Amino acid sequence: MSDWIDIAPLENVPQRGARMIKTAFGCVAVFRTAEDEVFALDNACPHKAGPLAEGIVHGKSVTCPLHNWVISLETGEAQGADEGRVVSYPARVESGRILLDRAFLKARVAA
């Protein structure tokens, strides 16, 4: 069974936006879609480590603000002709709060 960390209220992340969250296990970019789905990825584009939390969220993707790479919020995979991947973390909304899976964040530190 997963142990979830309560990060913030959903309304703290704008629709089609993102926030960089500092946790005890490191920094994670948390994204919110227009449909109020939430996703969490490492905050560094696989191309040149651009800050993904500062990118443009569209559909279930984010475009890196540095070189326009498009990254899937669902898988962390670069889209189109680009190649690369960032780590994605389980995230969910419960009672209006954003939760991240603690076990996956801990595994990030151990890696």
XYZ file of all heavy atoms in Angstrom:
839
model
N 0.846 -1.185 0.000
C 0.000 0.000 0.000
C 0.884 1.238 0.000
O 1.900 1.308 0.673
C -0.910 -0.028 1.219
C -1.807 1.187 1.310
S -3.014 0.977 2.633
C -4.423 1.593 1.789
N 0.495 2.228 -0.756
C 1.277 3.447 -0.892
C 1.069 4.374 0.291
O 0.012 4.414 0.906
C 0.888 4.183 -2.177
O 1.260 3.421 -3.295
N 2.107 5.123 0.577
C 2.083 6.160 1.592
C 2.188 7.488 0.841
O 3.177 7.730 0.147
C 3.269 5.963 2.544
C 3.268 6.939 3.696
O 2.212 7.528 3.992
O 4.338 7.102 4.303
N 1.182 8.337 0.962
C 1.100 9.556 0.167
C 1.469 10.784 0.994
O 1.115 10.879 2.159
C -0.310 9.707 -0.402
C -0.660 8.606 -1.348
C -1.186 7.382 -1.038
C -0.466 8.603 -2.753
N -1.339 6.621 -2.171
C -0.915 7.354 -3.242
C 0.022 9.540 -3.664
C -0.880 7.025 -4.593
C 0.061 9.203 -5.009
C -0.386 7.960 -5.465
N 2.198 11.714 0.370
C 2.568 12.984 0.991
C 1.591 14.046 0.504
O 1.400 14.228 -0.698
C 3.992 13.405 0.596
C 5.002 12.365 1.023
C 4.342 14.764 1.194
C 6.400 12.631 0.482
N 0.992 14.770 1.433
C 0.094 15.880 1.110
C 0.970 17.081 0.759
O 1.715 17.590 1.592
C -0.799 16.183 2.312
C -1.859 17.230 2.016
O -1.587 18.167 1.243
O -2.962 17.117 2.571
N 0.881 17.530 -0.490
C 1.752 18.599 -0.993
C 1.122 19.980 -0.864
O 1.741 20.908 -0.356
C 2.120 18.339 -2.472
C 2.880 17.028 -2.611
C 2.914 19.483 -3.065
C 4.196 16.992 -1.858
N -0.116 20.124 -1.353
C -0.740 21.453 -1.402
C -2.191 21.327 -1.842
O -2.586 20.300 -2.389
C 0.005 22.345 -2.397
N -2.974 22.391 -1.637
C -4.320 22.395 -2.210
C -4.241 22.451 -3.738
O -3.321 23.079 -4.290
C -4.957 23.682 -1.675
C -4.037 24.218 -0.645
C -2.705 23.593 -0.859
N -5.188 21.817 -4.404
C -5.221 21.813 -5.872
C -5.211 23.230 -6.423
O -4.531 23.519 -7.407
C -6.451 21.049 -6.369
C -6.624 20.970 -7.889
C -5.455 20.218 -8.536
C -7.950 20.307 -8.234
N -5.919 24.149 -5.784
C -6.013 25.516 -6.317
C -4.683 26.278 -6.257
O -4.542 27.331 -6.876
C -7.122 26.322 -5.626
C -6.902 26.572 -4.152
C -7.587 25.565 -3.246
O -8.059 24.512 -3.717
O -7.648 25.846 -2.044
N -3.675 25.738 -5.576
C -2.359 26.386 -5.558
C -1.588 26.204 -6.860
O -0.594 26.883 -7.091
C -1.507 25.881 -4.396
C -1.869 26.527 -3.079
O -2.888 27.191 -2.955
N -1.034 26.322 -2.084
N -2.042 25.265 -7.683
C -1.450 25.069 -9.004
C -2.510 25.491 -10.023
O -3.594 24.916 -10.055
C -1.042 23.596 -9.230
C -0.442 23.403 -10.619
C -0.066 23.135 -8.157
N -2.216 26.497 -10.846
C -3.227 26.953 -11.802
C -3.522 25.910 -12.872
O -2.658 25.091 -13.205
C -2.589 28.202 -12.432
C -1.123 28.022 -12.232
C -0.958 27.238 -10.967
N -4.746 25.942 -13.412
C -5.066 25.064 -14.535
C -4.105 25.381 -15.668
O -3.772 26.541 -15.905
C -6.502 25.260 -14.994
C -7.504 24.626 -14.066
C -8.911 24.681 -14.616
O -9.326 25.688 -15.196
N -9.647 23.611 -14.453
N -3.654 24.317 -16.375
C -2.665 24.430 -17.441
C -1.389 25.108 -16.942
O -0.745 25.866 -17.659
C -3.243 25.171 -18.658
C -4.366 24.409 -19.332
C -4.940 25.115 -20.533
N -5.302 26.503 -20.310
C -6.445 26.921 -19.765
N -7.343 26.052 -19.369
N -6.695 28.204 -19.621
N -1.028 24.788 -15.687
C 0.167 25.376 -15.085
C 0.921 24.362 -14.261
O 0.590 23.171 -14.238
N 1.936 24.850 -13.559
C 2.788 23.961 -12.765
C 3.417 24.730 -11.615
O 3.472 25.957 -11.626
C 3.878 23.357 -13.636
N 3.906 23.976 -10.660
C 4.668 24.525 -9.544
C 5.805 23.559 -9.238
O 5.664 22.356 -9.366
C 3.802 24.684 -8.282
C 2.727 25.736 -8.402
C 3.334 27.134 -8.391
N 2.315 28.157 -8.415
C 1.910 28.798 -9.502
N 2.414 28.497 -10.678
N 0.999 29.743 -9.422
N 6.920 24.113 -8.827
C 8.040 23.303 -8.377
C 7.863 23.131 -6.874
O 7.714 24.103 -6.143
C 9.366 23.979 -8.710
C 10.560 23.056 -8.636
S 11.405 23.058 -7.065
C 11.825 24.756 -6.846
N 7.838 21.885 -6.426
C 7.596 21.549 -5.029
C 8.888 21.026 -4.414
O 9.520 20.121 -4.960
C 6.494 20.466 -4.910
C 5.220 20.884 -5.622
C 6.242 20.113 -3.456
C 4.512 22.063 -5.030
N 9.277 21.590 -3.280
C 10.433 21.083 -2.548
C 9.917 20.093 -1.508
O 9.075 20.428 -0.690
C 11.178 22.222 -1.854
C 11.855 23.160 -2.812
C 12.607 24.254 -2.074
C 13.257 25.195 -3.051
N 14.016 26.251 -2.360
N 10.434 18.868 -1.570
C 10.079 17.851 -0.575
C 11.347 17.454 0.168
O 12.455 17.829 -0.236
C 9.459 16.597 -1.232
O 10.506 15.851 -1.857
C 8.375 16.953 -2.237
N 11.199 16.681 1.205
C 12.363 16.173 1.936
C 13.216 15.276 1.050
O 14.373 15.017 1.348
C 11.904 15.405 3.178
N 12.654 14.813 -0.068
C 13.337 13.891 -0.970
C 13.817 14.563 -2.245
O 14.292 13.907 -3.153
C 12.421 12.715 -1.303
C 11.830 12.075 -0.077
C 10.492 12.219 0.226
C 12.643 11.362 0.796
C 9.958 11.645 1.372
C 12.104 10.787 1.945
C 10.768 10.935 2.236
N 13.681 15.883 -2.352
C 14.126 16.609 -3.542
C 13.000 17.386 -4.187
O 11.852 17.350 -3.737
N 13.334 18.126 -5.243
C 12.367 18.987 -5.932
C 11.672 18.245 -7.067
O 12.306 17.501 -7.819
C 13.075 20.214 -6.483
S 13.792 21.244 -5.198
N 10.375 18.467 -7.171
C 9.540 17.814 -8.175
C 8.638 18.873 -8.806
O 8.144 19.761 -8.119
C 8.663 16.712 -7.519
C 7.707 16.095 -8.512
C 9.544 15.643 -6.887
N 8.433 18.784 -10.114
C 7.495 19.665 -10.805
C 6.114 19.002 -10.783
O 5.970 17.847 -11.166
C 7.936 19.899 -12.244
N 5.126 19.735 -10.298
C 3.747 19.237 -10.239
C 2.928 20.046 -11.245
O 2.930 21.279 -11.214
C 3.161 19.360 -8.817
C 1.701 18.934 -8.796
C 3.977 18.522 -7.842
N 2.224 19.340 -12.129
C 1.476 19.947 -13.223
C -0.016 19.707 -13.041
O -0.419 18.651 -12.557
C 1.903 19.342 -14.560
C 3.363 19.499 -14.835
C 4.271 18.544 -14.391
C 3.838 20.599 -15.520
C 5.620 18.684 -14.623
C 5.198 20.749 -15.756
C 6.087 19.789 -15.313
N -0.825 20.681 -13.481
C -2.288 20.554 -13.457
C -2.810 20.843 -14.853
O -2.474 21.864 -15.453
C -2.878 21.548 -12.458
C -4.390 21.521 -12.363
C -4.862 22.527 -11.338
N -6.302 22.640 -11.288
C -6.940 23.574 -10.613
N -6.260 24.478 -9.918
N -8.255 23.610 -10.613
N -3.618 19.942 -15.367
C -4.191 20.123 -16.702
C -5.480 20.934 -16.617
O -5.986 21.219 -15.528
C -4.499 18.763 -17.359
O -5.579 18.148 -16.641
C -3.286 17.852 -17.389
N -6.019 21.269 -17.780
C -7.290 21.995 -17.845
C -8.421 21.155 -17.259
O -9.431 21.702 -16.799
C -7.607 22.367 -19.289
N -8.257 19.828 -17.244
C -9.272 18.914 -16.712
C -9.031 18.602 -15.232
O -9.631 17.684 -14.674
C -9.297 17.612 -17.519
C -9.801 17.789 -18.941
C -8.762 18.404 -19.868
O -7.541 18.218 -19.642
O -9.170 19.095 -20.821
N -8.126 19.331 -14.583
C -7.782 19.167 -13.166
C -7.098 17.846 -12.845
O -7.116 17.391 -11.709
C -9.001 19.373 -12.257
C -9.474 20.814 -12.252
O -8.635 21.716 -12.468
O -10.669 21.044 -12.031
N -6.448 17.233 -13.834
C -5.599 16.079 -13.564
C -4.256 16.608 -13.083
O -3.824 17.688 -13.506
C -5.394 15.253 -14.824
C -6.652 14.576 -15.323
C -6.398 13.834 -16.603
O -6.338 14.481 -17.656
O -6.226 12.590 -16.540
N -3.593 15.862 -12.213
C -2.264 16.272 -11.758
C -1.233 15.214 -12.122
O -1.531 14.015 -12.140
C -2.213 16.566 -10.239
C -3.063 17.770 -9.889
C -2.605 15.363 -9.424
N -0.029 15.687 -12.434
C 1.091 14.830 -12.792
C 2.332 15.381 -12.106
O 2.411 16.579 -11.820
C 1.305 14.823 -14.313
C 0.137 14.276 -15.080
C -0.860 15.114 -15.551
C 0.030 12.915 -15.325
C -1.949 14.613 -16.262
C -1.045 12.400 -16.026
C -2.041 13.248 -16.488
N 3.304 14.521 -11.867
C 4.549 14.957 -11.239
C 5.732 14.359 -12.001
O 5.740 13.169 -12.326
C 4.589 14.526 -9.778
N 6.704 15.215 -12.298
C 7.913 14.820 -13.024
C 9.126 15.462 -12.371
O 8.993 16.471 -11.669
C 7.869 15.331 -14.476
C 6.710 14.966 -15.382
C 6.825 15.730 -16.699
C 6.706 13.468 -15.649
N 10.305 14.926 -12.665
C 11.522 15.653 -12.327
C 11.452 17.003 -13.044
O 10.921 17.099 -14.150
C 12.770 14.887 -12.782
C 13.198 13.816 -11.798
O 12.765 13.856 -10.630
O 13.988 12.939 -12.187
N 12.013 18.032 -12.431
C 11.898 19.381 -12.971
C 13.038 19.732 -13.926
O 13.450 20.876 -14.004
C 11.848 20.393 -11.814
C 11.461 21.773 -12.281
O 10.643 21.925 -13.180
N 12.051 22.793 -11.693
N 13.569 18.780 -14.657
C 14.675 19.043 -15.577
C 14.428 18.336 -16.906
O 14.348 17.110 -16.961
C 15.994 18.577 -14.971
N 14.320 19.110 -17.970
C 14.135 18.555 -19.307
C 15.304 17.624 -19.634
O 16.454 17.921 -19.288
C 14.072 19.705 -20.315
S 13.891 19.163 -22.027
N 15.051 16.494 -20.319
C 16.138 15.573 -20.645
C 17.122 16.144 -21.670
O 18.215 15.621 -21.835
C 15.416 14.342 -21.197
C 14.116 14.854 -21.696
C 13.760 15.998 -20.787
N 16.781 17.229 -22.322
C 17.650 17.818 -23.339
C 18.776 18.631 -22.722
O 19.930 18.244 -22.768
C 16.802 18.673 -24.290
C 17.585 19.395 -25.330
N 17.423 20.739 -25.570
C 18.542 18.976 -26.190
C 18.239 21.116 -26.546
N 18.930 20.064 -26.935
N 18.446 19.750 -22.073
C 19.463 20.631 -21.478
C 19.068 21.044 -20.065
O 19.443 22.112 -19.593
C 19.646 21.885 -22.329
C 20.122 21.624 -23.745
C 21.619 21.567 -23.802
C 22.053 21.438 -25.257
N 23.470 21.444 -25.421
N 18.261 20.223 -19.394
C 17.847 20.435 -18.002
C 17.034 21.707 -17.801
O 17.075 22.324 -16.739
C 19.049 20.405 -17.065
N 16.260 22.091 -18.810
C 15.375 23.250 -18.666
C 14.353 23.017 -17.569
O 13.941 21.877 -17.329
N 13.924 24.075 -16.873
C 12.970 23.945 -15.763
C 11.546 23.682 -16.273
O 10.825 24.602 -16.648
C 13.073 25.298 -15.060
C 13.458 26.253 -16.154
C 14.334 25.465 -17.090
N 11.138 22.433 -16.268
C 9.837 22.062 -16.830
C 8.669 22.745 -16.126
O 7.643 23.018 -16.755
C 9.659 20.542 -16.811
C 10.597 19.777 -17.744
C 10.395 18.273 -17.579
C 10.395 20.202 -19.185
N 8.792 23.051 -14.834
C 7.704 23.727 -14.116
C 7.439 25.118 -14.677
O 6.387 25.690 -14.440
C 8.016 23.809 -12.625
N 8.374 25.656 -15.452
C 8.196 26.971 -16.084
C 7.709 26.845 -17.524
O 7.586 27.845 -18.235
C 9.505 27.756 -16.041
C 9.953 28.068 -14.624
C 11.301 28.756 -14.566
O 11.725 29.371 -15.572
O 11.948 28.662 -13.504
N 7.437 25.611 -17.955
C 6.997 25.366 -19.325
C 5.510 25.599 -19.516
O 4.790 25.969 -18.593
N 5.053 25.373 -20.739
C 3.649 25.554 -21.102
C 2.966 24.192 -21.080
O 3.392 23.261 -21.766
C 3.522 26.186 -22.498
C 4.150 27.589 -22.473
C 2.062 26.249 -22.942
C 4.286 28.214 -23.835
N 1.896 24.086 -20.279
C 1.122 22.846 -20.184
C 0.018 22.895 -21.235
O -0.731 23.871 -21.318
C 0.524 22.673 -18.774
C -0.360 21.430 -18.711
C 1.633 22.596 -17.735
N -0.074 21.843 -22.042
C -1.108 21.741 -23.073
C -1.510 20.281 -23.177
O -0.665 19.407 -23.340
C -0.613 22.286 -24.418
C 0.741 21.788 -24.815
N 0.920 20.741 -25.692
C 1.981 22.178 -24.428
C 2.214 20.521 -25.838
N 2.888 21.377 -25.082
N -2.812 20.041 -23.019
C -3.283 18.652 -22.989
C -2.608 17.921 -21.842
O -2.617 18.380 -20.703
N -1.976 16.801 -22.152
C -1.239 16.024 -21.146
C 0.256 16.072 -21.449
O 0.978 15.091 -21.289
C -1.755 14.591 -21.100
C -3.175 14.502 -20.556
C -3.633 13.082 -20.401
C -5.072 13.053 -19.902
N -5.561 11.695 -19.725
N 0.720 17.263 -21.870
C 2.126 17.478 -22.191
C 2.578 18.811 -21.627
O 1.765 19.679 -21.305
C 2.340 17.501 -23.709
O 1.959 16.278 -24.295
N 3.897 18.969 -21.530
C 4.498 20.249 -21.158
C 5.597 20.535 -22.175
O 6.324 19.631 -22.586
C 5.053 20.249 -19.716
C 6.147 19.214 -19.520
C 5.547 21.638 -19.327
N 5.691 21.803 -22.593
C 6.751 22.217 -23.498
C 7.836 22.921 -22.701
O 7.559 23.880 -21.969
C 6.203 23.149 -24.601
O 5.247 22.409 -25.373
C 7.313 23.631 -25.517
N 9.064 22.439 -22.831
C 10.203 23.015 -22.118
C 10.389 24.469 -22.550
O 10.350 24.773 -23.749
C 11.461 22.204 -22.402
S 12.939 22.890 -21.613
N 10.611 25.381 -21.586
C 10.760 26.794 -21.927
C 12.082 27.132 -22.624
O 12.198 28.205 -23.203
C 10.667 27.495 -20.571
C 11.147 26.484 -19.594
C 10.692 25.160 -20.145
N 13.060 26.233 -22.607
C 14.353 26.557 -23.215
C 14.432 26.242 -24.703
O 14.855 27.076 -25.497
C 15.490 25.829 -22.484
C 15.726 26.227 -21.032
C 16.966 25.503 -20.498
C 15.884 27.726 -20.883
N 14.038 25.024 -25.098
C 14.230 24.612 -26.486
C 12.990 23.958 -27.098
O 13.089 23.249 -28.097
C 15.433 23.663 -26.584
C 16.695 24.284 -26.099
N 17.215 24.012 -24.851
C 17.514 25.194 -26.661
C 18.319 24.715 -24.679
N 18.523 25.446 -25.754
N 11.840 24.166 -26.464
C 10.547 23.708 -27.000
C 10.397 22.193 -27.130
O 9.593 21.727 -27.928
C 10.235 24.373 -28.342
C 10.036 25.851 -28.195
O 9.480 26.314 -27.195
N 10.488 26.610 -29.169
N 11.153 21.425 -26.361
C 10.898 19.989 -26.343
C 9.550 19.746 -25.677
O 9.215 20.391 -24.681
C 11.974 19.263 -25.547
C 13.223 18.965 -26.309
C 13.860 19.761 -27.212
C 13.993 17.777 -26.211
N 14.986 19.151 -27.668
C 15.104 17.920 -27.073
C 13.873 16.608 -25.470
C 16.071 16.939 -27.229
C 14.838 15.633 -25.612
C 15.916 15.788 -26.486
N 8.779 18.817 -26.210
C 7.478 18.462 -25.644
C 7.636 17.151 -24.876
O 8.127 16.158 -25.411
C 6.407 18.326 -26.744
C 5.075 17.893 -26.153
C 6.265 19.653 -27.494
N 7.211 17.176 -23.599
C 7.353 16.023 -22.706
C 5.965 15.557 -22.274
O 5.132 16.366 -21.858
C 8.175 16.402 -21.449
C 9.512 17.057 -21.828
C 8.361 15.194 -20.540
C 10.464 16.179 -22.593
N 5.712 14.255 -22.359
C 4.448 13.681 -21.900
C 4.368 13.765 -20.379
O 5.284 13.317 -19.684
C 4.333 12.225 -22.339
O 3.277 11.577 -21.661
N 3.267 14.299 -19.874
C 3.062 14.327 -18.426
C 2.745 12.940 -17.887
O 2.991 12.657 -16.716
C 1.935 15.297 -18.071
C 2.192 16.767 -18.383
C 0.945 17.598 -18.103
C 3.382 17.293 -17.593
N 2.214 12.073 -18.730
C 1.842 10.729 -18.302
C 3.051 9.802 -18.163
O 3.104 8.988 -17.249
C 0.844 10.123 -19.287
C -0.478 10.862 -19.313
C -1.412 10.310 -20.359
O -1.068 10.366 -21.561
O -2.476 9.816 -19.971
N 4.023 9.930 -19.066
C 5.146 8.987 -19.087
C 6.512 9.624 -18.837
O 7.473 8.916 -18.545
C 5.216 8.276 -20.445
O 5.534 9.252 -21.462
C 3.915 7.559 -20.768
N 6.619 10.934 -19.044
C 7.907 11.610 -18.947
C 8.730 11.506 -20.225
O 9.836 12.033 -20.305
N 8.188 10.857 -21.257
C 8.906 10.664 -22.516
C 8.847 11.915 -23.393
O 7.806 12.568 -23.492
C 8.288 9.505 -23.311
C 8.444 8.152 -22.676
C 9.839 7.571 -22.838
O 10.567 7.965 -23.766
O 10.192 6.703 -22.020
N 9.978 12.213 -24.057
C 10.003 13.273 -25.063
C 9.126 12.835 -26.233
O 9.091 11.649 -26.584
C 11.428 13.527 -25.518
N 8.430 13.792 -26.834
C 7.500 13.495 -27.921
C 8.114 13.888 -29.264
O 9.078 14.640 -29.322
C 6.192 14.252 -27.699
C 5.529 13.960 -26.365
C 5.130 12.514 -26.221
O 4.245 12.031 -26.903
N 5.803 11.800 -25.336
N 7.510 13.396 -30.343
C 7.973 13.737 -31.685
C 9.325 13.118 -31.977
O 9.631 12.005 -31.542
N 10.175 13.860 -32.685
C 11.484 13.358 -33.096
C 12.507 13.380 -31.960
O 13.564 12.775 -32.069
C 12.005 14.186 -34.269
N 12.206 14.096 -30.875
C 13.145 14.200 -29.760
C 13.180 12.901 -28.967
O 12.195 12.174 -28.881
C 12.754 15.362 -28.847
C 12.818 16.701 -29.570
O 13.763 16.881 -30.366
O 11.942 17.537 -29.342
N 14.331 12.615 -28.357
C 14.495 11.408 -27.561
C 14.999 11.752 -26.178
O 15.880 12.595 -26.025
C 15.479 10.448 -28.239
C 14.964 9.882 -29.540
C 15.929 8.880 -30.153
O 16.872 8.463 -29.473
O 15.716 8.519 -31.318
N 14.439 11.115 -25.185
C 14.833 11.331 -23.801
C 13.646 11.108 -22.895
O 12.505 10.940 -23.358
N 13.912 11.121 -21.607
C 12.854 10.836 -20.643
C 13.225 11.451 -19.307
O 14.385 11.480 -18.925
C 12.701 9.333 -20.485
C 11.580 8.910 -19.569
C 11.472 7.382 -19.523
N 10.294 6.977 -18.817
C 10.219 6.903 -17.492
N 11.245 7.204 -16.743
N 9.086 6.534 -16.912
N 12.201 11.927 -18.598
C 12.366 12.337 -17.205
C 11.548 11.380 -16.347
O 10.614 10.739 -16.829
C 11.924 13.795 -16.947
C 12.802 14.769 -17.700
C 10.469 14.011 -17.301
N 11.906 11.280 -15.092
C 11.190 10.388 -14.183
C 9.830 10.996 -13.854
O 9.713 12.194 -13.598
C 12.005 10.164 -12.895
C 11.232 9.305 -11.903
C 13.339 9.510 -13.233
N 8.802 10.149 -13.880
C 7.467 10.581 -13.468
C 7.129 9.900 -12.140
O 7.638 8.824 -11.839
C 6.420 10.236 -14.533
O 6.357 8.850 -14.741
N 6.287 10.563 -11.352
C 5.915 10.078 -10.024
C 4.403 9.995 -9.917
O 3.696 10.865 -10.432
C 6.443 11.033 -8.940
C 7.926 11.236 -9.033
C 8.459 12.329 -9.680
C 8.801 10.300 -8.485
C 9.827 12.514 -9.792
C 10.176 10.468 -8.582
C 10.678 11.577 -9.237
O 12.029 11.738 -9.348
N 3.892 8.978 -9.229
C 2.445 8.901 -9.021
C 1.950 10.126 -8.245
O 2.534 10.515 -7.235
C 2.267 7.621 -8.201
C 3.473 6.794 -8.511
C 4.586 7.793 -8.686
N 0.884 10.714 -8.753
C 0.254 11.870 -8.108
C -1.252 11.707 -8.222
O -1.751 11.078 -9.163
C 0.701 13.165 -8.784
N -1.959 12.262 -7.260
C -3.419 12.200 -7.311
C -3.992 13.374 -6.533
O -3.294 14.048 -5.778
C -3.940 10.881 -6.760
C -3.759 10.714 -5.263
C -4.289 9.378 -4.791
N -4.366 9.347 -3.341
C -4.447 8.257 -2.631
N -4.477 7.081 -3.228
N -4.536 8.308 -1.313
N -5.296 13.582 -6.725
C -6.023 14.605 -5.973
C -7.039 13.883 -5.105
O -7.773 13.011 -5.579
C -6.736 15.599 -6.907
C -7.555 16.604 -6.110
C -5.727 16.309 -7.788
N -7.059 14.227 -3.828
C -8.014 13.652 -2.892
C -8.525 14.770 -1.993
O -7.728 15.465 -1.354
C -7.332 12.559 -2.072
C -8.279 11.782 -1.176
C -7.551 10.639 -0.491
O -7.137 9.696 -1.185
O -7.395 10.711 0.745
N -9.824 14.950 -1.963
C -10.457 15.992 -1.146
C -9.842 17.365 -1.419
O -9.603 18.154 -0.503
C -10.353 15.658 0.345
O -10.980 14.426 0.624
N -9.548 17.628 -2.702
C -9.016 18.931 -3.081
C -7.553 19.145 -2.752
O -7.034 20.254 -2.860
N -6.831 18.084 -2.363
C -5.405 18.169 -2.008
C -4.579 17.354 -2.996
O -4.995 16.274 -3.412
C -5.155 17.644 -0.593
C -5.972 18.276 0.512
C -5.556 19.642 0.892
N -4.151 19.692 1.308
C -3.542 20.814 1.665
N -4.183 21.962 1.649
N -2.270 20.809 2.027
N -3.400 17.845 -3.342
C -2.480 17.121 -4.220
C -1.613 16.217 -3.361
O -1.014 16.664 -2.376
C -1.597 18.093 -5.019
C -2.463 18.979 -5.918
C -0.567 17.316 -5.849
C -1.698 20.100 -6.589
N -1.538 14.948 -3.747
C -0.754 13.952 -3.017
C 0.284 13.328 -3.948
O -0.006 13.058 -5.113
C -1.665 12.853 -2.471
C -2.860 13.293 -1.633
C -3.741 12.098 -1.304
C -2.412 13.984 -0.365
N 1.495 13.102 -3.417
C 2.552 12.400 -4.146
C 2.914 11.127 -3.396
O 2.897 11.103 -2.166
C 3.804 13.269 -4.283
C 3.672 14.567 -5.068
C 5.016 15.278 -5.119
C 3.158 14.306 -6.471
N 3.284 10.095 -4.135
C 3.629 8.798 -3.552
C 5.020 8.869 -2.912
O 6.035 9.044 -3.597
C 3.588 7.723 -4.630
C 3.714 6.325 -4.067
O 4.580 6.108 -3.203
O 2.954 5.450 -4.506
N 5.069 8.738 -1.599
C 6.324 8.843 -0.832
C 7.352 7.790 -1.268
O 8.544 8.088 -1.375
C 6.048 8.694 0.653
C 7.268 8.842 1.540
C 6.957 8.580 3.006
N 5.831 9.340 3.509
C 5.939 10.535 4.106
N 7.108 11.097 4.261
N 4.855 11.151 4.553
N 6.923 6.563 -1.523
C 7.858 5.490 -1.886
C 8.611 5.831 -3.168
O 9.817 5.574 -3.267
C 7.111 4.168 -2.028
N 7.937 6.411 -4.158
C 8.604 6.769 -5.402
C 9.585 7.910 -5.200
O 10.648 7.937 -5.795
C 7.577 7.137 -6.478
C 6.992 5.945 -7.175
C 5.997 5.196 -6.575
C 7.452 5.553 -8.429
C 5.459 4.084 -7.206
C 6.928 4.445 -9.062
C 5.928 3.706 -8.449
N 9.238 8.853 -4.317
C 10.164 9.951 -4.036
C 11.400 9.440 -3.308
O 12.523 9.867 -3.591
C 9.473 11.033 -3.210
C 8.370 11.810 -3.928
C 7.671 12.738 -2.954
C 8.913 12.574 -5.117
N 11.216 8.511 -2.374
C 12.354 7.922 -1.673
C 13.262 7.168 -2.632
O 14.483 7.221 -2.517
C 11.881 6.982 -0.558
C 11.386 7.672 0.670
C 11.016 6.628 1.712
C 10.541 7.273 2.990
N 10.150 6.278 3.990
N 12.669 6.451 -3.584
C 13.456 5.701 -4.565
C 14.292 6.655 -5.406
O 15.409 6.325 -5.813
C 12.538 4.868 -5.451
N 13.789 7.846 -5.648
C 14.521 8.867 -6.406
C 15.822 9.215 -5.710
O 16.862 9.342 -6.322
C 13.648 10.101 -6.549
C 14.316 11.278 -7.167
C 13.314 12.434 -7.194
N 13.824 13.513 -7.956
C 14.103 14.702 -7.454
N 13.914 14.935 -6.179
N 14.564 15.657 -8.217
N 15.767 9.377 -4.389
C 16.947 9.730 -3.612
C 17.953 8.587 -3.601
O 19.150 8.787 -3.675
C 16.548 10.127 -2.175
C 17.767 10.337 -1.295
C 15.702 11.392 -2.197
N 17.450 7.366 -3.534
C 18.315 6.187 -3.449
C 19.040 5.917 -4.760
O 20.084 5.294 -4.785
C 17.504 4.968 -3.048
N 18.469 6.378 -5.861
C 19.053 6.094 -7.175
C 20.336 6.852 -7.427
O 20.673 7.785 -6.805
C 18.034 6.418 -8.274
